[in-house]
Amino acid sequence: MRRGKLRIYLGSAPGVGKTYAMLSEAHRRIERGTDCVVGFVEHHGRPRTEVMLHGLDMTPRREIAYRDSTFTEMDVDALLARRPAVALVDELAHTNVPGSRNAKRWQDVEELLQAGIDVVTTVNIQHLESLGDVVETITGVRQRETVPDEVVRRADQIELVDMSPQALRRRMAHGNIYKPDRVDAALSNYFRPGNLTALRELALLWVADRVDEYLQEYRGEHNIRSTWQARERIVVGLTGGPEGRTLIRRAARLAEKGAGGEVLAVYIAASDGLSSASPKELAAQRTLVEDLGGTFHHVIGDDVAHALLEFARGVNATQIVLGVSRRRPWQYVFGPGVSATVAVESGPDLDVHLVTHDAAARGRRSLPVARGARLGRSRLIWGWLTGLVGPALLTLLLHAVVPELGLANDMLLFLTFTVAAALLGGLLPALASAAFGSLLLNYFFTPPLYRLTISDPRNIVAISIFVGVAVSVASVVDLAARRTHQAARLRAESEILSFLAGSILRGEDSLEALLERLRETFSMRSVALLERADEVEPWTTAATVGTDPVRRPEDADVDMPIGENMALALAGRVLPAEDRRVLGAFAAQAAVVLDRQRLVDEAGKARELAEGNRIRTALLAAVSHDLRTPLAGIKASVTSLRSDDVEWSEEDKGELLEGIEEGADRLAALIGNLLDMSRLNTGSVVPLIRETDLDEVVPMALGGVPDGSVELDIPETLPMVAVDRGLLERVVANVVENAVKYSPDGRPVHVSASSLLDRVELRVVDRGPGVPDEAKDRIFEPFQRHGDAPRGAGVGLGLAVARGFTEAIGGTLSAEDTPGGGLTMVLTLPTAGDAPAAAAELPASVVT
């Protein structure tokens, strides 16, 4: 069965017309003969949207009972049975009522798609999961209902529904989005011009990224290699040298000049030996480019210029930023360098910027690899060409131009090529150059000419000395080069080992970061840390980085055992033996980091167990006294009523029954708080966020306090708050009851509310003894009672439960001093800055 196609109308803000656009698309498809069914559409009382539902086939909603209330959700089973060609599903990020088929509506949509039903849906940009923190920073409202970005990215079509902030605010003012009594609050809070502009930019940038992904897929499928300059994308070529930070900052400035510019820093590593760049410098450059909003890439390639151009064309880059070469002038005899090669071969569709810096023309300081890998194929070829072709060309030149230069001078010139061969290709090309040069000197420049015999014994001595000097100089030059590279290699290894030692001292515990550093250091495709319980158990993966990691040490190109039941497996190429010392240090550090991570996890579990034991101990202490006290009173009253020895009057019976009722109420309250604390500790509190009027909830929360003990000042003009109504009622009840308990007789508790930007503050003010500053946080801990509270006053859970429920609904609860004496509890709640996820008029629920 084919998977259905998903089309998403992505809105930049509530009210831009997503649902209207979806319904318009449905009418167009129906006119073309497509079977379209409304699975779930919420018109929020907007007349124009409601009119668009006329003429559409609508699937009846499923009714779900939750907390003594009835809610309606999309009936997935009915849609699957109906099997329309297209289903219309509004509000993709919606959280279903507990008891539904799935927890989220996007999961319902996934089921429809799996069944082969095409789905058209809507979602706002602020509901994307990755943008939650950004949206909260902009609007001050945390979005509780989110949808994973990957769900939206997998859509076959994404259409942006956009509107300018000014037009959207006019639509709001005309009453086309919210009811008139909510317009002023919305315009002054969530729908401020700055908020709408920022949300609009987020939507445009997110959709632009999605378009860019589609463009990359299209170019890859059609094998398009030329650059399409649809967006400024700047590639920075890094060598790991000190100029890298200058290049990154320059590229960032270039990207800022064009809207939507992107910076991609890339380091090209050779495919053999240790990386030739400082790990410390590369790490600093990676951090810098990520801080500036760019990305860092590690690419393997022997030909740096070719690999850089391939990467740039692969990401559809428009510009390349390179540093002026650090080569000294004489080093250009060996080739034009990377910068010049890239500039020549980039073509007309790729601009190349060469940036000057302080290290230009001052020589390269690299961290070389092993001797066997440091020269590379090109160096060896140049060494042999210099040692063999160079003397032949020199012979032609001397024979044709200056035949009478003299044997001594000829020998010095031939010796020059021998030394050059040693520098380029090592000892073997130099020895071959010495032997070949001696033959040419004998044949062309030593009498008798053009014969391999020597008539003058002095010439025999001269040529012998030439061969000896050439071999000696070549050996010395090659040995010096070996020692130089060995020293530089040891310096590279010492930097790596220093980094590993420093990470131990700093307590860094990111295993993935360590393995990524290992992969980049040795230019491997992937690195995996494997472990097993014992020798007969299969290997399991503790951590991996890179692509296509191996699952067994036997399948790896390089494996490093760590004890008997752990191994480091690297894939990509075979490492030389001299690299295994550094690899062993990485392996030991990986084992240490893995052990540290597990110890941290175990310590966290131990702390949780210790906290649980502390709470259980406190609970037992509470049960031993506070719960037995009301039970004892109830028992005594019941025993008295059942006694046949005493004839109780109706008044006495009433008092005894009243005592039983008070004891039962106290016992119910204590058990309720204990159960609530247990739910908070186990994380089983799932708030159902809805728009709520504060002036409706607060009066209902005062049922447990005496009449006249509380003064209310809740303005009707307050904006609505986004909370779970039942949890909020419990919070207010606990806070107010605590305030009444400590407030002196004749001094009622004052409860007032006010709005501040995107928040609503509820203040509960009492004139009791107050709480010292050092105890203000402690009173919110479980089983804490301040001062001389009587033992029968409770188990000290009321405020702890109140704070836990407050944080669950996205608010805060704190304590302040009351001017003139007493304590003020400040409850801060988020306003409802977005359209409701479900009908706001539905009855709220109360936690029991």
Side-chain angles (χ1 to χ4, degrees):
M1 179 183 298
R2 75 167 186 91
R3 176 182 170 87
K5 295 185 178 297
L6 177 62
R7 178 170 184 166
I8 296 178
Y9 285 93
L10 179 65
S12 57
V16 295
K18 305 178 303 300
T19 306
Y20 190 93
M22 177 181 69
L23 297 176
S24 298
E25 173 67 17
H27 282 287
R28 286 191 294 269
R29 295 197 182 197
I30 290 176
E31 291 175 359
R32 296 194 297 265
T34 305
D35 181 18
C36 290
V37 171
V38 176
F40 188 98
V41 170
E42 185 62 64
H43 56 74
H44 297 300
R46 299 165 187 168
R48 296 186 179 182
T49 305
E50 190 174 1
V51 168
M52 293 296 295
L53 287 170
H54 294 168
L56 297 179
D57 185 7
M58 290 185 285
T59 303
R61 299 184 184 183
R62 179 187 176 193
E63 294 186 351
I64 300 175
Y66 179 66
R67 292 181 178 175
D68 301 327
S69 299
T70 301
F71 300 88
T72 60
E73 295 288 0
M74 181 173 69
D75 194 336
V76 180
D77 293 325
L79 277 173
L80 293 174
R82 170 71 167 73
R83 294 194 61 80
V86 179
L88 308 180
V89 182
D90 205 6
E91 298 176 350
L92 182 64
H94 171 74
T95 300
N96 293 329
V97 174
S100 301
R101 183 187 183 97
N102 295 299
K104 292 283 190 176
R105 184 165 293 164
W106 63 264
Q107 295 171 326
D108 296 338
V109 169
E110 282 293 318
E111 285 199 42
L112 299 178
L113 294 173
Q114 291 293 339
I117 301 173
D118 295 345
V119 176
V120 182
T121 185
T122 66
V123 70
N124 278 332
I125 189 66
Q126 67 265 26
H127 293 298
L128 295 184
E129 197 168 77
S130 66
L131 301 178
D133 294 337
V134 180
V135 172
E136 183 178 15
T137 302
I138 294 170
T139 65
V141 178
R142 183 68 181 182
Q143 299 296 328
R144 297 290 175 180
E145 295 186 324
T146 59
V147 58
D149 289 45
E150 186 59 28
V151 173
V152 182
R153 287 184 180 276
R154 286 202 306 262
D156 299 278
Q157 295 183 60
I158 299 177
E159 183 170 333
L160 178 65
V161 183
D162 185 31
M163 179 177 291
S164 69
Q166 294 78 10
L168 185 57
R169 284 172 60 84
R170 283 197 301 271
R171 177 180 288 186
M172 172 71 71
H174 293 159
N176 295 328
I177 300 178
Y178 289 160
K179 296 179 180 179
D181 58 343
R182 297 175 53 196
V183 169
D184 291 338
L187 290 175
S188 60
N189 289 281
Y190 193 89
F191 284 82
R192 295 193 299 269
N195 289 2
L196 297 178
T197 302
L199 292 174
R200 188 186 191 196
E201 183 178 13
L202 277 179
L204 291 171
L205 290 176
W206 195 93
V207 172
D209 286 338
R210 180 65 181 86
V211 172
D212 192 64
E213 291 174 5
Y214 172 76
L215 179 61
Q216 295 294 340
E217 294 175 3
Y218 179 85
R219 284 165 51 84
E221 292 172 357
H222 293 78
N223 197 26
I224 299 174
R225 306 300 299 165
S226 60
T227 300
W228 289 1
Q229 299 187 2
R231 178 181 181 182
E232 286 295 335
R233 186 172 283 107
I234 303 172
V235 170
V236 186
L238 300 178
T239 64
E243 77 280 2
R245 305 186 197 190
T246 301
L247 302 182
I248 292 171
R249 293 188 181 97
R250 183 60 177 272
R253 292 197 297 272
L254 290 173
E256 290 175 356
K257 294 180 180 179
E262 183 180 357
V263 176
L264 300 90
V266 58
Y267 169 68
I268 311 293
S271 61
D272 50 6
L274 285 170
S275 171
S276 60
S278 166
K280 185 185 303 182
E281 183 63 28
L282 274 181
Q285 292 174 13
R286 175 198 290 269
T287 301
L288 176 61
V289 72
E290 291 174 351
D291 289 344
L292 294 175
T295 56
F296 184 92
H297 303 267
H298 190 276
V299 177
I300 298 175
D302 291 324
D303 190 332
V304 176
H306 177 74
L308 181 61
L309 288 171
E310 283 295 310
F311 176 82
R313 293 191 177 105
V315 299
N316 200 28
T318 58
Q319 302 179 56
I320 297 178
V321 175
L322 297 172
V324 174
S325 178
R326 286 179 283 148
R327 289 183 174 190
R328 298 188 186 277
W330 62 268
Q331 292 178 308
Y332 283 97
V333 299
F334 303 115
V338 174
S339 301
T341 303
V342 171
V344 171
E345 299 181 2
S346 60
D349 55 354
L350 194 56
D351 298 334
V352 178
H353 300 265
L354 295 182
V355 180
T356 59
H357 50 85
D358 294 337
R362 294 189 177 183
R364 301 177 62 87
R365 293 183 60 195
S366 59
L367 305 181
V369 297
R371 172 67 181 174
R374 70 172 180 85
L375 295 177
R377 186 176 180 182
S378 62
R379 285 286 300 274
L380 290 173
I381 292 175
W382 275 106
W384 284 102
L385 288 176
T386 303
L388 298 178
V389 178
L393 295 177
L394 178 61
T395 300
L396 293 176
L397 179 65
L398 294 177
H399 196 69
V401 180
V402 283
E404 302 298 333
L405 190 60
L407 183 60
N409 293 328
D410 294 339
M411 289 182 178
L412 291 176
L413 292 175
F414 276 91
L415 186 61
T416 302
F417 281 96
T418 301
V419 174
L423 288 172
L424 287 174
L427 183 59
L428 290 180
L431 294 178
S433 178
F436 186 51
S438 65
L439 292 176
L440 292 177
L441 284 171
N442 184 7
Y443 191 82
F444 288 100
F445 301 102
T446 305
L449 301 178
Y450 312 120
R451 295 177 63 185
L452 293 177
T453 59
I454 302 174
S455 58
D456 191 344
R458 291 176 297 180
N459 292 337
I460 296 176
V461 174
I463 290 179
S464 299
I465 293 174
F466 166 78
V467 174
V469 170
V471 172
S472 301
V473 170
S475 300
V476 171
V477 169
D478 182 69
L479 181 61
R482 287 174 181 271
R483 294 290 183 264
T484 300
H485 283 274
Q486 286 175 0
R489 178 179 176 80
L490 290 174
R491 179 170 63 86
E493 292 182 1
S494 66
E495 283 196 14
I496 295 172
L497 296 175
S498 174
F499 160 76
L500 292 177
S503 65
I504 295 175
L505 295 176
R506 292 188 297 270
E508 296 178 358
D509 56 358
S510 175
L511 183 58
E512 287 73 16
L514 179 67
L515 296 184
E516 180 64 24
R517 180 64 58 86
L518 169 60
R519 188 186 72 83
E520 293 180 358
T521 299
F522 291 102
S523 302
M524 304 301 287
R525 185 183 72 247
S526 66
V527 178
L529 182 62
L530 308 176
E531 62 178 347
R532 59 185 178 182
D534 51 54
E535 293 183 357
V536 298
E537 294 294 329
W539 291 95
T540 59
T541 302
T544 63
V545 295
T547 58
D548 193 21
V550 298
R551 302 300 178 186
R552 299 185 307 165
E554 297 83 3
D555 301 332
D557 294 310
V558 180
D559 70 286
M560 173 62 68
I562 312 172
E564 295 182 355
N565 299 315
M566 188 177 294
L568 202 60
L570 292 80
R573 63 185 179 84
V574 178
L575 289 180
E578 52 266 32
D579 284 345
R580 295 187 69 85
R581 177 172 56 180
V582 177
L583 180 60
F586 270 106
Q589 175 67 359
V592 170
V593 171
L594 180 61
D595 289 341
R596 183 188 295 128
Q597 284 184 347
R598 289 175 174 173
L599 287 174
V600 170
D601 293 341
E602 291 177 2
K605 294 178 181 178
R607 284 193 296 270
E608 292 178 359
L609 291 175
E611 178 65 17
N613 289 334
R614 187 187 69 81
I615 292 177
R616 280 192 290 272
T617 301
L619 176 60
L620 290 174
V623 170
S624 66
H625 185 281
D626 296 297
L627 296 184
R628 292 175 63 185
T629 299
L631 284 174
I634 294 174
K635 174 68 174 175
S637 298
V638 171
T639 302
S640 299
L641 288 173
R642 289 173 56 87
S643 175
D644 297 331
D645 299 336
V646 181
E647 184 69 27
W648 301 101
S649 64
E650 291 299 324
E651 182 179 355
D652 293 334
K653 290 181 180 179
E655 291 180 357
L656 290 173
L657 291 174
E658 184 178 355
I660 293 174
E661 184 178 10
E662 290 179 356
D665 291 341
R666 182 183 300 174
L667 190 61
L670 293 175
I671 293 176
N673 278 333
L674 288 171
L675 293 176
D676 289 339
M677 200 67 232
S678 175
R679 293 174 60 208
L680 288 170
N681 286 333
T682 58
S684 59
V685 176
V686 181
L688 185 62
I689 303 300
R690 292 289 186 269
E691 290 186 353
T692 304
D693 284 318
L694 206 59
D695 58 350
E696 295 179 0
V697 176
V698 175
M700 295 179 62
L702 305 183
V705 297
D707 293 338
S709 61
V710 178
E711 294 179 349
L712 283 181
D713 182 14
I714 310 295
E716 296 182 357
T717 57
L718 284 176
M720 301 183 76
V721 292
V723 296
D724 184 304
R725 185 168 180 171
L727 296 182
L728 176 60
E729 186 175 330
R730 287 297 305 275
V731 169
V732 176
N734 282 9
V735 172
V736 172
E737 288 174 7
N738 184 78
V740 171
K741 184 191 306 180
Y742 288 97
S743 189
D745 295 336
R747 303 293 299 274
V749 173
H750 185 71
V751 179
S752 62
S754 60
S755 61
L756 178 64
L757 296 178
D758 54 0
R759 299 283 174 176
V760 171
E761 281 190 356
L762 183 71
R763 306 178 74 87
V764 180
V765 182
D766 68 59
R767 296 293 179 178
V771 176
D773 291 339
E774 62 272 12
K776 283 187 172 62
D777 287 332
R778 194 165 61 249
I779 62 176
F780 293 104
E781 296 178 2
F783 307 107
Q784 296 293 323
R785 289 179 294 189
H786 180 67
D788 57 352
R791 292 295 298 174
V795 293
L797 285 177
L799 293 182
V801 170
R803 173 170 276 189
F805 281 173
T806 302
E807 292 174 350
I809 61 178
T812 60
L813 180 62
S814 59
E816 299 178 357
D817 289 329
T818 301
L823 188 68
T824 298
M825 290 290 181
V826 182
L827 174 63
T828 305
L829 302 170
T831 58
D834 194 3
E841 292 78 8
L842 291 174
S845 58
V846 178
V847 177
T848 60

